[in-house]
Structures are given as C-alpha cells and as structure tokens.
Amino acid sequence: MDEHHGAFGQDTFGQAAERAARFFGTPQYIIGQTIIVIAWIAVNSVALVAHWDPYPFILLNLAFSTPAAYPAPLILLAETRQAARDKTMGDQLEKHREEVERRATERVAAIKAETDKLQTLLQSNTDLTKEDKELTEQVATLTREIHAALAKQG
C-alpha cells in the first residue's frame, strides 16, 4: 500500500509529529511531567535552595504553556495523516470489493451459461431417448408383423 506523505513531502516531519503525538498520550509522559512539576514546586518551595521560580511559579506556568502550544497541532497533523491513510485504505478496499463483485458476477454468468447448456443437453437426451423408445417399439411391431407373415406362409 502507498504511504501517505501529506504536505511535508517525504514527511520526516509528519512521521516525527505522529511519534510525538503517540508519546503525549502515554502514561510515561504524564508520569514524567507530574514528577517534574512536583520536583519544581518542591525545589522552589524549600528554603535550602535559591528560589528561581517562587510561588505562584510563573516560570513553571511559562515552561508548560510554551510546549503546550505544540502537542495540539502535532496531534491534529497526526490525525490528518491517519485520516488520509484511512481514506486511501477505504478507496483500495472499495476497489477490491468492486473487483470481487465483478468477478463473482462473471462467475455467476458463466455458471448460468453452463447450466443452460446442460439443460439443453438433458432435453436433447430426453428427446433422443423418446425417439429411441418409439423406434424400438416400431421395430418390435414390424418384427412381430414379419414373424406373423412368415408363419402364415410356412
């Protein structure tokens, strides 16, 4: 099957976007992100370390807001690529179904033609059998008549 390449040519970017979109939905990503947030808040809340991002954690918000703008378009790109692949697959399946249906119709027509020929042959055989029976009866009748005529002469 042909691979869909979309708007990015051979689609290295699109493939990377799909990998990223799949990763954003994994438990590893969510757990990793949660650990980073907890560590960030803990480090910035404890008095032992210099607070580079004191409460309300503006840098943390900025750190999440900036990359948060990227997953949605990447996910949409991945969905668009998948929809295009699904459409291509659907088109191929439809063509295959039509081809199978066409061949089945041809087979049914061929079987009907052969059945019609067979019925014609059976009818011819039946007609020949009737003619044979009639001729056999006529031969038997003639044989009896000849036998009776010879018996009268003799």
Side-chain angles (χ1 to χ4, degrees):
M1 180 171 108
D2 292 337
E3 185 69 23
H4 176 72
H5 294 297
F8 296 99
Q10 285 299 329
D11 245 354
T12 303
F13 181 81
Q15 291 171 359
E18 286 182 334
R19 283 192 299 276
R22 280 193 287 277
F23 175 69
F24 289 134
T26 63
Q28 293 87 351
Y29 175 76
I30 294 169
I31 291 168
Q33 187 177 37
T34 303
I35 291 170
I36 290 171
V37 169
I38 291 170
W40 186 289
I41 291 172
V43 167
N44 281 288
S45 296
V46 176
L48 301 174
V49 181
H51 303 280
W52 71 87
D53 188 20
Y55 182 82
F57 310 113
I58 305 272
L59 287 176
L60 179 62
N61 283 323
L62 184 60
F64 277 111
S65 299
T66 302
Y70 292 99
L74 292 177
I75 291 168
L76 287 173
L77 175 62
E79 287 177 352
T80 300
R81 288 168 49 88
Q82 185 61 47
R85 280 193 298 269
D86 291 346
K87 182 181 181 322
T88 300
M89 177 64 85
D91 291 347
Q92 288 176 346
L93 287 173
E94 180 62 21
K95 286 178 186 175
H96 177 70
R97 187 197 62 76
E98 288 172 357
E99 178 64 19
V100 167
E101 188 175 310
R102 183 189 62 75
R103 279 193 242 140
T105 301
E106 288 173 358
R107 282 193 299 271
V108 167
I111 290 170
K112 182 175 180 347
E114 292 299 318
T115 302
D116 291 345
K117 286 179 188 177
L118 185 58
Q119 285 179 328
T120 302
L121 288 172
L122 286 172
Q123 186 60 47
S124 295
N125 188 33
T126 301
D127 294 344
L128 286 173
T129 302
K130 285 180 184 175
E131 287 179 27
D132 182 50
K133 181 181 176 196
E134 290 171 3
L135 289 173
T136 302
E137 289 172 355
Q138 287 176 2
V139 167
T141 302
L142 288 173
T143 302
R144 281 192 297 274
E145 288 174 4
I146 290 172
H147 192 55
L150 288 176
K152 277 186 182 178
Q153 283 181 352

